[in-house]
Amino acid sequence: MSYNAPLKDMQFVLNELANLAEVNALPGCEDATPDTVEAVLEENAKFCGEVIAPLNHAGDQEPSFWRDGAVTTTRGFKEAFRAYADAGWQGVQHPQEFGGQGLPKLVATPCMEMLHGANLAFALVALLSDGAIEALLTAGSDAQKARFLEPLVSGQWTGTMNLTEPQAGSDLAAVRTR
């Protein structure tokens, strides 16, 4: 499976509709220059097209599974996630003080779109990690931020979503109103 990011369209939206130049002038957004943003998007498109998209078919043929207390992921996912984290893609929008690149979410959004377009199953790990990072940045204590943010932003750890079984107190279908 191939993926070719619509870079021209993304750059048009960033520059003409979202006014990247105006965003770049805001405090804390000085690194979001047109040249930097173009390079980030081009590299992300290349990574998503060459590394992430080819895993789609493998994920359909050999999905991850749980057996004997261990999760086995689709062949190639572990290595691809390590490459994703090592390249700093998890930290594009997150603060530099926690190991991120500190770019505006406006720049991270097309990167996330490319990741989702290339392979949604793979992208869910990054999405859940972003959710955990955002929750900690918004409502975490200083101790929680110090403990969890750097490993999450670096991709050493990932965020998760945990769902409970029916009858465990969070089954909305069992809730009755009057």
Side-chain angles (χ1 to χ4, degrees):
M1 168 167 266
S2 64
Y3 174 76
N4 295 308
L7 286 175
K8 288 176 102 177
D9 294 337
M10 290 176 170
Q11 289 171 341
F12 174 81
V13 169
L14 288 175
N15 292 309
E16 303 301 324
L17 301 179
N19 200 349
L20 179 62
E22 195 173 299
V23 172
N24 177 237
L26 295 171
C29 297
E30 298 85 2
D31 289 339
T33 65
D35 289 342
T36 297
V37 172
E38 183 177 350
V40 167
L41 295 184
E42 286 175 0
E43 285 303 311
N44 189 263
K46 181 179 170 186
F47 182 81
C48 288
E50 294 176 3
V51 178
I52 305 303
L55 297 174
N56 248 340
H57 185 70
D60 290 341
Q61 299 301 310
E62 304 170 34
S64 300
F65 60 91
W66 168 273
R67 183 180 301 139
D68 299 326
V71 173
T72 301
T73 61
T74 300
R75 188 180 358 229
F77 271 54
K78 181 178 179 180
E79 297 79 9
F81 185 77
R82 180 56 29 225
Y84 175 82
D86 288 349
W89 294 118
Q90 186 68 60
V92 171
Q93 69 191 10
H94 301 301
Q96 291 177 344
E97 68 185 283
F98 299 110
Q101 296 179 36
L103 291 169
K105 193 163 187 173
L106 178 65
V107 177
T109 299
C111 294
M112 291 183 286
E113 172 64 25
M114 286 186 257
L115 189 65
H116 286 85
N119 188 326
L120 184 58
F122 182 91
L124 291 176
V125 173
L127 175 73
L128 293 171
S129 295
D130 280 336
I133 292 165
E134 292 295 331
L136 286 162
L137 288 169
T138 302
S141 68
D142 289 341
Q144 290 170 326
K145 290 175 184 179
R147 174 79 172 112
F148 298 109
L149 282 175
E150 195 169 318
L152 283 166
V153 171
S154 72
Q156 178 186 354
W157 294 351
T158 61
T160 66
M161 178 173 62
N162 299 291
L163 302 174
T164 60
E165 298 298 321
Q167 327 292 278
S170 63
D171 180 9
L172 295 179
V175 174
R176 301 288 179 244
T177 62
R178 310 182 266 187

